Amino acid sequence: MHRVRVKVVEDALDANETIARANRDDFDRAGVTVVNFMGAPGAGKTSLLERVLDGLRAGVLEGDVQGSLDADRLASLHVPVVQLQTSQGFGGECHLDANMVRSALPSLPLEEIELLVIENVGNLVCPAEFRVGEDARVMVSSVAEGADKPLKYPLMFRACELVLLNKIDLLPYVDFDVAKFTERLHTVHPGVECLQVSAKTGEGMEAWHQWLARLPGRRMIEA
Amino acid sequence: MHRVRVKVVEDALDANETIARANRDDFDRAGVTVVNFMGAPGAGKTSLLERVLDGLRAGVLEGDVQGSLDADRLASLHVPVVQLQTSQGFGGECHLDANMVRSALPSLPLEEIELLVIENVGNLVCPAEFRVGEDARVMVSSVAEGADKPLKYPLMFRACELVLLNKIDLLPYVDFDVAKFTERLHTVHPGVECLQVSAKTGEGMEAWHQWLARLPGRRMIEA
């Protein structure tokens, strides 16, 4: 008799990882490349999507604690938007996890798109700890938040393949040293790509659009 | 025989509430009034403390995921600063809870102060769900974050006795409608006090200082 022994290693594959891999398999079958898009509240995530999604075969999964403000903003674009509210608990979840994303899969028109952007809940801590089945992670940091953020939230700055430094139109009005920020960023995450952008003035939007346009079919992180 | 029946109601008093009350009792015995100070990453919490603590019989408990940047900044003030790092887990805790604050009690010179400010981890979700034994909660929202934040993170804006609208020096350079913000704030939290401030220019610092100076001995929330 053929016997296979599967050793259960408690911390090797937790439930979130298992579900994230299942999501990834489904995305792969549908030929959809997935970006997990993260950043602090008010860093400009939705604005950065508004500026670049038109013209891409993209869809958006919006994670929000409450309300549909971000999903409403994106509704004017010609891309499908599915909203995932996390407010089931007392104050809402502070991040999306693989199971929440899985619950949205039936609502996502995967056959119509080749790129799915998952806009995570505004938070610099927990979203970095939960894979959702993505191929790449992008995080946004605004110059208004200060140049110390990579040192204060190193896991988030480490857990991404691209950093968007947003609101550079505010540089003349805030105390923000771009060279120091970049040095700190590369201390916690050597070599990570960083684009300086402004969703307001449009600066850097072409580079950000190109980065997304080049993504379909690419896999920047392993499942 | 005297018998007392204590019914255990599972969700009536969870462990965090129990410990928060114990903290509160200890603070009361020491005659220390406690503020839980919350806000998103980069909203300006540390800067707002730097501007007003000198001259108060105050101490600070700094909660940070990693590093000691904020504690170092406050070290130049003439107030005791105790740092609480939350990075024990994988990516660090996204909030302070009552037990973490309790672990810092022996390091706090409670007999020397009458006001303790607990600077929470930068996050607009979870800190609002965990009482730590405080008498009042203050949250900071920066105009750079956008005027939609009260609707997107209602629990945080509801779970405070004072809102500081910071970085008003940036108002000429950002799309931020103060009237709309205030209306939304009062929709989720009718009547809450809101001070418009700028840690950079000093605007509103006198009012913020006065608010803190009036606090010792007051109890704005029940344990």
Side-chain angles (χ1 to χ4, degrees), chain B residues 59-95:
Chain B
V60 179
L61 181 60
E62 270 296 330
D64 247 328
V65 176
Q66 194 142 351
S68 62
L69 288 172
D70 290 349
D72 295 347
R73 285 170 62 187
L74 294 170
S76 62
L77 302 180
H78 301 104
V79 299
V81 177
V82 171
Q83 200 200 349
L84 200 54
Q85 265 195 31
T86 70
S87 67
Q88 299 313 310
F90 174 45
E93 291 293 333
C94 57
H95 61 277

Short mmCIF file of all heavy atoms in Angstrom, two decimals, chain B residues 59-95:
data_model
loop_
_atom_site.label_atom_id
_atom_site.label_comp_id
_atom_site.label_asym_id
_atom_site.label_seq_id
_atom_site.Cartn_x
_atom_site.Cartn_y
_atom_site.Cartn_z
N GLY B 59 4.64 63.57 31.37
CA GLY B 59 5.54 62.52 30.90
C GLY B 59 4.95 61.93 29.64
O GLY B 59 3.78 62.13 29.34
N VAL B 60 5.79 61.23 28.88
CA VAL B 60 5.34 60.66 27.62
C VAL B 60 5.67 59.17 27.58
O VAL B 60 6.78 58.76 27.94
CB VAL B 60 6.00 61.35 26.41
CG1 VAL B 60 5.53 60.71 25.10
CG2 VAL B 60 5.69 62.84 26.40
N LEU B 61 4.71 58.39 27.15
CA LEU B 61 4.95 56.98 26.84
C LEU B 61 4.84 56.86 25.33
O LEU B 61 3.79 57.13 24.75
CB LEU B 61 3.92 56.10 27.55
CG LEU B 61 4.07 54.59 27.32
CD1 LEU B 61 5.43 54.08 27.80
CD2 LEU B 61 2.95 53.84 28.07
N GLU B 62 5.97 56.51 24.69
CA GLU B 62 6.05 56.46 23.24
C GLU B 62 5.83 55.04 22.74
O GLU B 62 6.61 54.15 23.05
CB GLU B 62 7.46 56.88 22.78
CG GLU B 62 7.66 58.32 22.52
CD GLU B 62 6.83 58.81 21.36
OE1 GLU B 62 6.55 58.03 20.44
OE2 GLU B 62 6.43 59.98 21.40
N GLY B 63 4.80 54.85 21.93
CA GLY B 63 4.60 53.54 21.32
C GLY B 63 5.08 53.60 19.89
O GLY B 63 4.65 54.45 19.12
N ASP B 64 5.98 52.72 19.53
CA ASP B 64 6.49 52.72 18.16
C ASP B 64 6.72 51.29 17.73
O ASP B 64 7.12 50.46 18.53
CB ASP B 64 7.80 53.50 18.06
CG ASP B 64 7.62 54.76 17.24
OD1 ASP B 64 6.79 54.74 16.32
OD2 ASP B 64 8.30 55.75 17.52
N VAL B 65 6.48 51.03 16.45
CA VAL B 65 6.72 49.69 15.93
C VAL B 65 8.20 49.37 16.06
O VAL B 65 8.60 48.32 16.53
CB VAL B 65 6.28 49.58 14.47
CG1 VAL B 65 6.63 48.20 13.92
CG2 VAL B 65 4.80 49.84 14.33
N GLN B 66 9.03 50.30 15.65
CA GLN B 66 10.46 50.04 15.63
C GLN B 66 11.24 51.35 15.78
O GLN B 66 10.75 52.42 15.45
CB GLN B 66 10.85 49.38 14.31
CG GLN B 66 12.24 48.78 14.33
CD GLN B 66 12.30 47.47 13.58
OE1 GLN B 66 11.28 46.92 13.20
NE2 GLN B 66 13.49 46.97 13.38
N GLY B 67 12.45 51.24 16.29
CA GLY B 67 13.31 52.41 16.40
C GLY B 67 12.94 53.27 17.59
O GLY B 67 11.98 53.00 18.31
N SER B 68 13.71 54.34 17.78
CA SER B 68 13.45 55.23 18.90
C SER B 68 13.44 56.67 18.43
O SER B 68 13.75 57.59 19.17
CB SER B 68 14.52 55.02 19.97
OG SER B 68 15.80 55.33 19.43
N LEU B 69 13.09 56.88 17.15
CA LEU B 69 13.15 58.23 16.57
C LEU B 69 12.31 59.23 17.35
O LEU B 69 12.75 60.33 17.65
CB LEU B 69 12.69 58.19 15.11
CG LEU B 69 13.65 57.54 14.11
CD1 LEU B 69 12.98 57.41 12.76
CD2 LEU B 69 14.92 58.36 13.99
N ASP B 70 11.05 58.84 17.64
CA ASP B 70 10.16 59.78 18.32
C ASP B 70 10.63 60.04 19.74
O ASP B 70 10.65 61.19 20.20
CB ASP B 70 8.73 59.24 18.32
CG ASP B 70 8.12 59.27 16.92
OD1 ASP B 70 8.74 59.89 16.03
OD2 ASP B 70 7.04 58.70 16.74
N ALA B 71 11.02 58.97 20.43
CA ALA B 71 11.51 59.14 21.80
C ALA B 71 12.76 60.02 21.82
O ALA B 71 12.92 60.88 22.68
CB ALA B 71 11.80 57.78 22.43
N ASP B 72 13.64 59.84 20.83
CA ASP B 72 14.85 60.66 20.75
C ASP B 72 14.48 62.14 20.56
O ASP B 72 15.10 63.02 21.15
CB ASP B 72 15.73 60.21 19.58
CG ASP B 72 16.27 58.79 19.79
OD1 ASP B 72 16.16 58.29 20.92
OD2 ASP B 72 16.77 58.21 18.81
N ARG B 73 13.48 62.39 19.70
CA ARG B 73 13.08 63.78 19.46
C ARG B 73 12.58 64.43 20.74
O ARG B 73 12.82 65.62 20.99
CB ARG B 73 11.96 63.82 18.40
CG ARG B 73 12.46 63.58 16.99
CD ARG B 73 11.32 63.40 16.03
NE ARG B 73 10.48 64.58 15.93
CZ ARG B 73 9.33 64.60 15.24
NH1 ARG B 73 8.91 63.52 14.62
NH2 ARG B 73 8.62 65.71 15.19
N LEU B 74 11.85 63.66 21.55
CA LEU B 74 11.27 64.23 22.76
C LEU B 74 12.28 64.34 23.90
O LEU B 74 12.03 65.02 24.89
CB LEU B 74 10.08 63.39 23.20
CG LEU B 74 8.88 63.42 22.24
CD1 LEU B 74 7.86 62.36 22.63
CD2 LEU B 74 8.22 64.80 22.22
N ALA B 75 13.44 63.67 23.74
CA ALA B 75 14.41 63.63 24.83
C ALA B 75 14.96 65.00 25.15
O ALA B 75 15.43 65.25 26.26
CB ALA B 75 15.55 62.67 24.48
N SER B 76 14.89 65.93 24.18
CA SER B 76 15.42 67.27 24.43
C SER B 76 14.48 68.10 25.30
O SER B 76 14.86 69.13 25.84
CB SER B 76 15.66 67.99 23.10
OG SER B 76 14.43 68.14 22.41
N LEU B 77 13.23 67.65 25.43
CA LEU B 77 12.29 68.35 26.31
C LEU B 77 12.61 68.00 27.76
O LEU B 77 13.27 67.02 28.05
CB LEU B 77 10.86 67.92 26.00
CG LEU B 77 10.35 68.13 24.58
CD1 LEU B 77 8.92 67.64 24.45
CD2 LEU B 77 10.43 69.60 24.18
N HIS B 78 12.10 68.81 28.67
CA HIS B 78 12.35 68.54 30.08
C HIS B 78 11.23 67.70 30.68
O HIS B 78 10.65 68.03 31.68
CB HIS B 78 12.53 69.86 30.85
CG HIS B 78 13.65 70.67 30.30
ND1 HIS B 78 13.47 71.78 29.52
CD2 HIS B 78 15.00 70.48 30.40
CE1 HIS B 78 14.65 72.26 29.16
NE2 HIS B 78 15.59 71.51 29.68
N VAL B 79 10.93 66.60 29.99
CA VAL B 79 9.90 65.70 30.51
C VAL B 79 10.43 64.26 30.40
O VAL B 79 11.20 63.96 29.50
CB VAL B 79 8.58 65.81 29.71
CG1 VAL B 79 8.00 67.21 29.80
CG2 VAL B 79 8.76 65.41 28.25
N PRO B 80 10.01 63.40 31.33
CA PRO B 80 10.43 61.99 31.23
C PRO B 80 9.74 61.30 30.05
O PRO B 80 8.56 61.50 29.81
CB PRO B 80 9.97 61.38 32.56
CG PRO B 80 8.93 62.31 33.09
CD PRO B 80 9.20 63.68 32.52
N VAL B 81 10.52 60.52 29.31
CA VAL B 81 10.00 59.81 28.15
C VAL B 81 10.34 58.32 28.30
O VAL B 81 11.49 57.97 28.53
CB VAL B 81 10.62 60.33 26.84
CG1 VAL B 81 10.13 59.52 25.64
CG2 VAL B 81 10.30 61.81 26.64
N VAL B 82 9.34 57.48 28.19
CA VAL B 82 9.57 56.03 28.22
C VAL B 82 9.11 55.46 26.89
O VAL B 82 8.05 55.82 26.38
CB VAL B 82 8.77 55.37 29.38
CG1 VAL B 82 8.82 53.85 29.28
CG2 VAL B 82 9.32 55.83 30.72
N GLN B 83 9.95 54.61 26.32
CA GLN B 83 9.61 54.07 25.02
C GLN B 83 9.16 52.63 25.10
O GLN B 83 9.72 51.82 25.83
CB GLN B 83 10.82 54.15 24.10
CG GLN B 83 10.39 54.07 22.64
CD GLN B 83 11.50 53.68 21.73
OE1 GLN B 83 12.65 53.65 22.15
NE2 GLN B 83 11.15 53.35 20.50
N LEU B 84 8.14 52.32 24.35
CA LEU B 84 7.56 50.98 24.32
C LEU B 84 7.62 50.52 22.88
O LEU B 84 6.90 51.05 22.03
CB LEU B 84 6.11 51.11 24.78
CG LEU B 84 5.35 49.90 25.30
CD1 LEU B 84 6.10 49.23 26.43
CD2 LEU B 84 3.98 50.35 25.79
N GLN B 85 8.51 49.59 22.58
CA GLN B 85 8.57 49.08 21.21
C GLN B 85 7.63 47.91 21.03
O GLN B 85 7.58 47.01 21.86
CB GLN B 85 9.99 48.61 20.89
CG GLN B 85 10.80 49.67 20.19
CD GLN B 85 12.05 49.09 19.55
OE1 GLN B 85 12.06 47.95 19.14
NE2 GLN B 85 13.08 49.90 19.50
N THR B 86 6.90 47.92 19.93
CA THR B 86 5.90 46.87 19.73
C THR B 86 6.37 45.82 18.73
O THR B 86 5.59 44.98 18.31
CB THR B 86 4.58 47.46 19.22
OG1 THR B 86 4.77 47.91 17.88
CG2 THR B 86 4.13 48.62 20.08
N SER B 87 7.65 45.84 18.35
CA SER B 87 8.09 44.98 17.24
C SER B 87 8.38 43.54 17.64
O SER B 87 9.17 42.86 17.00
CB SER B 87 9.33 45.57 16.58
OG SER B 87 10.40 45.51 17.49
N GLN B 88 7.77 43.05 18.72
CA GLN B 88 8.03 41.66 19.13
C GLN B 88 7.49 40.66 18.12
O GLN B 88 8.10 39.63 17.88
CB GLN B 88 7.42 41.39 20.51
CG GLN B 88 7.98 42.29 21.60
CD GLN B 88 9.49 42.38 21.58
OE1 GLN B 88 10.17 41.37 21.54
NE2 GLN B 88 10.03 43.58 21.58
N GLY B 89 6.35 40.96 17.54
CA GLY B 89 5.76 40.04 16.57
C GLY B 89 6.48 40.12 15.24
O GLY B 89 7.56 40.71 15.13
N PHE B 90 5.89 39.57 14.22
CA PHE B 90 6.50 39.55 12.90
C PHE B 90 6.74 40.96 12.40
O PHE B 90 7.86 41.37 12.14
CB PHE B 90 5.59 38.77 11.93
CG PHE B 90 6.03 38.81 10.51
CD1 PHE B 90 7.36 38.60 10.18
CD2 PHE B 90 5.12 39.06 9.48
CE1 PHE B 90 7.78 38.62 8.86
CE2 PHE B 90 5.53 39.08 8.17
CZ PHE B 90 6.86 38.87 7.86
N GLY B 91 5.69 41.74 12.31
CA GLY B 91 5.85 43.08 11.78
C GLY B 91 5.56 44.15 12.80
O GLY B 91 5.52 45.32 12.50
N GLY B 92 5.35 43.72 14.05
CA GLY B 92 5.04 44.68 15.09
C GLY B 92 3.55 44.84 15.25
O GLY B 92 2.78 44.57 14.35
N GLU B 93 3.17 45.29 16.44
CA GLU B 93 1.76 45.54 16.70
C GLU B 93 1.33 46.85 16.06
O GLU B 93 2.12 47.77 15.95
CB GLU B 93 1.51 45.62 18.21
CG GLU B 93 1.67 44.31 18.93
CD GLU B 93 0.59 43.30 18.54
OE1 GLU B 93 -0.50 43.74 18.16
OE2 GLU B 93 0.86 42.10 18.61
N CYS B 94 0.08 46.93 15.68
CA CYS B 94 -0.41 48.13 15.01
C CYS B 94 -1.09 49.07 16.00
O CYS B 94 -1.71 50.04 15.60
CB CYS B 94 -1.36 47.74 13.90
SG CYS B 94 -2.73 46.76 14.51
N HIS B 95 -1.01 48.77 17.28
CA HIS B 95 -1.66 49.60 18.30
C HIS B 95 -1.04 49.27 19.64
O HIS B 95 -0.35 48.25 19.78
CB HIS B 95 -3.16 49.30 18.34
CG HIS B 95 -3.44 47.88 18.71
ND1 HIS B 95 -3.42 46.86 17.78
CD2 HIS B 95 -3.69 47.28 19.91
CE1 HIS B 95 -3.66 45.70 18.39
NE2 HIS B 95 -3.82 45.94 19.67
#
